[in-house]
Amino acid sequence: MADHSDFDLYTFAILLDKAKGKRSINHYANTIEVSAAHISRLLRMLVKSPPAPETIKKMAKGAYNGVTYSELMSAAGHIDDKTEELFTENKRTQIIESEKKFFQVILSDLYTRDFEWSLNKTTNGPADLMLEITNWEYSKWYIEIKPCVTSRTIYNVYGQIASIELTSDIKVTIAIGSKNEFDLFIKNPPKSLKANLYLMLVDINSGKIKKEEKLCQY
């Protein structure tokens, strides 16, 4: 067992929110037979000690959106790095499928925009998507699709963006899929990144972009 100091409050809250899905906290709590108050405190990151494995098993059994027992156990600090490697491949597959859904939602939204654009879906480039734009305040728009970001990986995302050659007429957007992830970025903006950087909340279930907010400016 890993030490409870490994309990990642942010990541566990993000995963638990995805596991709950569109259900109310009470509905999810009744389904899995876990206290609604306890789930609420975990979602608000007010619990300092992780749930017991038995409780996590209940959470995973009634989870939506493909959230697994292993992912919750890892975020809780009950699984060490060696054990975590056993489900890394499955997690990678889930991320690829999520990226496809993100791409579909973003592309649908782009067709409603007033500006003219051409799209490059990159595989080895500096971002997942790159738009060339002709009649907007920005001439290029890079979009990084991040279906799963945690407090441990958020600064890796900023590092990837810092590697892009940026100018004042380039926009960069991080697209994420949950409110907890959105709040994670808002609470931890980049401290020394020179970029027109935005955060986009994508709701895959409704197929809509819920909101977009600026994190920093070039």
Side-chain angles (χ1 to χ4, degrees):
M1 290 288 182
D3 189 87
H4 285 175
S5 62
D6 291 332
F7 179 32
D8 189 334
L9 291 168
Y10 279 115
T11 303
F12 195 89
I14 289 168
L15 289 169
L16 187 60
D17 185 53
K18 287 184 176 180
K20 179 178 74 67
K22 294 293 185 180
R23 294 170 291 183
S24 68
I25 292 175
N26 284 335
H27 184 183
Y28 180 45
N30 289 335
T31 300
I32 64 175
E33 299 181 342
V34 173
S35 163
H38 186 49
I39 293 174
S40 176
R41 287 175 61 81
L42 285 165
L43 288 170
R44 290 180 290 148
M45 293 169 281
L46 299 177
V47 180
K48 301 303 180 185
S49 298
E54 293 77 14
T55 302
I56 292 175
K57 185 176 290 186
K58 292 180 180 180
M59 292 172 173
K61 187 175 181 180
Y64 283 2
N65 298 311
V67 175
T68 68
Y69 173 70
S70 296
E71 288 174 319
L72 289 167
M73 285 288 285
S74 178
H78 293 312
I79 295 179
D80 59 27
D81 291 339
K82 289 183 179 179
T83 308
E84 192 172 1
E85 290 174 4
L86 296 175
F87 63 89
T88 297
E89 188 61 36
N90 181 50
K91 183 186 291 186
R92 187 179 296 114
T93 301
Q94 291 177 352
I95 288 174
I96 290 172
E97 290 303 313
S98 294
E99 286 179 347
K100 290 179 181 177
K101 293 177 182 177
F102 270 71
F103 178 72
Q104 291 168 354
V105 174
I106 293 170
L107 192 60
S108 295
D109 179 79
L110 285 171
Y111 283 115
T112 68
R113 305 279 183 137
D114 293 331
F115 53 75
E116 297 176 7
W117 53 271
S118 59
L119 175 67
N120 291 312
K121 189 175 186 299
T122 61
T123 53
N124 296 312
D128 296 300
L129 304 174
M130 192 274 279
L131 303 176
E132 295 277 1
I133 304 169
T134 57
N135 58 337
W136 198 32
E137 59 181 307
Y138 301 110
S139 64
K140 288 184 180 179
W141 186 5
Y142 291 105
I143 302 177
E144 283 277 1
I145 297 173
K146 297 297 179 185
C148 185
V149 178
T150 71
S151 59
R152 296 174 182 173
T153 63
I154 182 172
Y155 292 104
N156 292 337
V157 176
Y158 291 149
Q160 291 173 359
I161 293 168
S163 68
I164 302 174
E165 190 173 335
L166 299 171
T167 57
S168 61
D169 64 336
I170 294 177
K171 176 181 179 179
V172 182
T173 295
I174 303 167
I176 48 86
S178 80
K179 185 179 182 300
N180 277 336
E181 286 170 311
F182 193 91
D183 292 342
L184 174 62
F185 275 100
I186 295 299
K187 291 175 182 176
N188 298 277
K191 299 189 187 317
S192 58
L193 183 61
K194 193 174 182 181
N196 296 311
L197 181 60
Y198 290 76
L199 185 62
M200 177 187 290
L201 178 58
V202 177
D203 187 338
I204 292 176
N205 293 325
S206 68
K208 295 181 179 179
I209 294 173
K210 305 296 286 187
K211 57 182 174 178
E212 189 175 14
E213 189 167 324
K214 182 180 285 188
L215 283 173
C216 63
Q217 190 166 340
Y218 186 87

